Amino acid sequence: MTDRSTLSTVDSAAYRVISPRVRRRRSPIVRWYRRNERVVLGLSGLAAFLALWQVLASVGAVDPQFFGSPTGVFDAAVHEVQIPRFWNDVRYSLTEVIVGFVASLVLAVPLGLAIGWYRRVSFAFDPWLNFLNAIPRPALIPLVVLWVGLGIEMKTIIVFLGGFFSIILPTVEGVRTVDQGLLDVAHSFRASQRRLFLSVVIPATVPFIAAGVRLALGRLLIGVVVAELYAQTEGLGVLIERAADVLDGNRMIFGVLLFTLMGVLTTEIAGRIERHYQRWRPSANLDLEEGV
């Protein structure tokens, strides 16, 4: 009896009961911050940069004639949006981007699928792809000007070339790296070549196409700026060039920020599309688990 009571005393001393932790309810402000932490920190960093820029411009550490100031850029933006020529430049640049991007997407995706899937088509096009992709796009501008002149056609072609190779190369690589296990399973079920291509190859290649589109959008904007600065006829690039000629840093920064905003928006949209289709890409962890 004594041993049993001693044992129970030892047990109670050696072991302690752990009660479940009561989760502390966070305030609505904390919950909202946790949900929007990325946006809040991003906007805070941007606001701090603009405040520092304004202070440096006010004390003369930054020359507003060359670098502008946040308030000066805002005043220049208010003035520009009231001029009809500005909206004509915006429409001109957007037309180049949209037409060049759509044309590159429509041509690059089917051709990339064919090059990656058919061996003879690959033999015929691979040398040309490597050759043309190695040529810097700005070096082609004088040649394109000789062909079509300085109009919107020249700028659209430069934009098209910038997007075409950014999309077709990942598409070809995506087709060539389709998981062989998926192809073997489809063959075991006697799937036709058409069904195999539509049900296995294209879905497996979509993440690569989305990644190529995201890269293409950045190069499209580079092509727009380079082509418009070369031709100096219409577009937002001409706005930047004219502002630089008269040393108007505020207008120049405003034009640069327009291209930056366009790039950020398009890249963010393309990034969301790419993340959406990442679920179609085979998971390495899943493959390892299946192998085990």
Side-chain angles (χ1 to χ4, degrees), residues 86-103:
F86 168 77
W87 296 107
N88 183 63
D89 290 338
V90 172
R91 183 172 60 253
Y92 194 84
S93 296
L94 287 178
T95 301
E96 297 166 5
V97 172
I98 294 174
V99 174
F101 171 71
V102 172

Side-chain angles (χ1 to χ4, degrees), residues 25-144:
R25 185 175 179 83
R26 297 188 177 92
S27 64
I29 297 178
V30 175
R31 293 200 304 270
W32 177 87
Y33 173 79
R34 289 295 182 89
R35 290 195 304 266
N36 302 276
E37 185 176 14
R38 179 184 177 186
V39 177
V40 172
L41 293 180
L43 293 178
S44 300
L46 179 61
F49 170 76
L50 294 176
L52 179 62
W53 182 14
Q54 181 64 43
V55 171
L56 293 177
S58 300
V59 300
V62 173
D63 191 350
Q65 188 175 11
F66 296 99
F67 297 98
S69 65
T71 55
V73 172
F74 178 78
D75 294 337
V78 173
H79 175 72
E80 284 292 328
V81 297
Q82 298 176 4
I83 302 175
R85 176 185 52 79
F86 168 77
W87 296 107
N88 183 63
D89 290 338
V90 172
R91 183 172 60 253
Y92 194 84
S93 296
L94 287 178
T95 301
E96 297 166 5
V97 172
I98 294 174
V99 174
F101 171 71
V102 172
S104 62
L105 183 66
V106 170
L107 292 178
V109 171
L111 187 58
L113 293 173
I115 293 174
W117 184 245
Y118 296 104
R119 184 166 55 94
R120 291 184 177 86
V121 178
S122 176
F123 292 160
F125 280 92
D126 268 347
W128 289 104
L129 284 179
N130 296 329
F131 172 74
L132 294 175
N133 186 51
I135 300 176
R137 249 63 72 190
L140 295 175
I141 293 180
L143 185 60
V144 177

